[in-house]
Amino acid sequence: MDFTPTEEQEAARELAARILGDLSTHERLAAAGTGTDAGLWKALSAAGLPAAVEEVGLLGLVLLLEEQGRVTAQVPLAATGVYGILAVARHGTEEQRARLLPGLREGTAVATGAFPATGAVTARAGRLTGTVGWVPWLRDATHVLVPDADRTLWLVRTEDAAAVEPVELTAPWAAARPVLDGTPAERLGDGAGPEAYEDVLAVARTAFAGLQAGVCAGSLARAVAHTSVREQFGRPLATRQAVQLRAADAHMDTEAIRVTAYEAAWRSDAGLDCAAAALTAAWWASEAGKRVVHSGQHLHGGAGADLDHPVHRHFLWGRQLDAYLGHGTALLAELGDVLAEEVPS
């Protein structure tokens, strides 16, 4: 395997880092509240970054999401990339790709997904009925990808839902709950079954693990900067062995999240089975991610307890990603089942 970014992937990452670094400031994030920074999303779209996802693949998307997580930018890049651009490009019909992808590439359309499936949605004659939990960035979305009880994928226009009920999360992800009551829907693809659902789920786990790697890297960078200048008894905190060990553990956890996300993304782009790799990345992102953002806040001392401090935003995102990915224990149990199925009887 080779995780070395291509020229296109590296160029997209550098462009994203520059735009996100310039525009996703602490003051701007505070002004955005719990909603999306529409100006930042417009800037990213104008630079062609959503459109680049098709070309750079899942590994490229992971690199972009690392940069987003590093500054906790409030834009629907992960949701649109996973549940919109990659899902339609991989599993949509030729007509669906021609009709849906242009808007998603330009950022004028935003997609998200009601994943993982709960089995509570039924489909009959192209209409969906059932209960769906909260969906990230649904308040910004024009389309939501919904799996039914048979794991068939359906695209629902947000405006067609009976209602969109706002939900406030730990992280400011503009989430909401769609009400499906005979809601018209469009089947994604032509005859795609549960295998399409499994692929989208693996892609989502990998992408959001990449986002967590960025969140953790940003949290750790802030902790290192703080402890390097904050003095206690005439010495910077960073010279204390306990601080060094805590930061080193956080660094190793962050690298583990990153490398497992890269492996899962590389396998997906190469057309290899990536279910176990995606679960591994999600487990690291969930379990290690919690440790890192707790360490980042702890190493800030009293400042870390300030709800308005930038590091607290990383803490909230890290905990929300842990919840969204499914928590470590459940992921580990699912990974065990996948690995058991791969062992010959």
Side-chain angles (χ1 to χ4, degrees), residues 109-179:
V110 173
T112 187
F115 277 66
T118 61
V121 175
T122 58
R124 176 172 295 185
R127 291 182 176 271
L128 302 185
T129 300
T131 303
V132 176
W134 63 267
V135 176
W137 288 288
L138 183 62
R139 278 179 269 166
D140 299 322
T142 55
H143 297 79
V144 55
L145 190 62
V146 181
D148 65 17
D150 297 322
R151 301 300 193 260
T152 300
L153 299 179
W154 299 86
L155 273 172
V156 175
R157 293 192 307 173
T158 309
E159 63 183 22
D160 290 335
V164 174
E165 303 170 344
V167 176
E168 295 301 336
L169 306 176
T170 301
W173 286 2
R177 182 180 295 107
V179 177

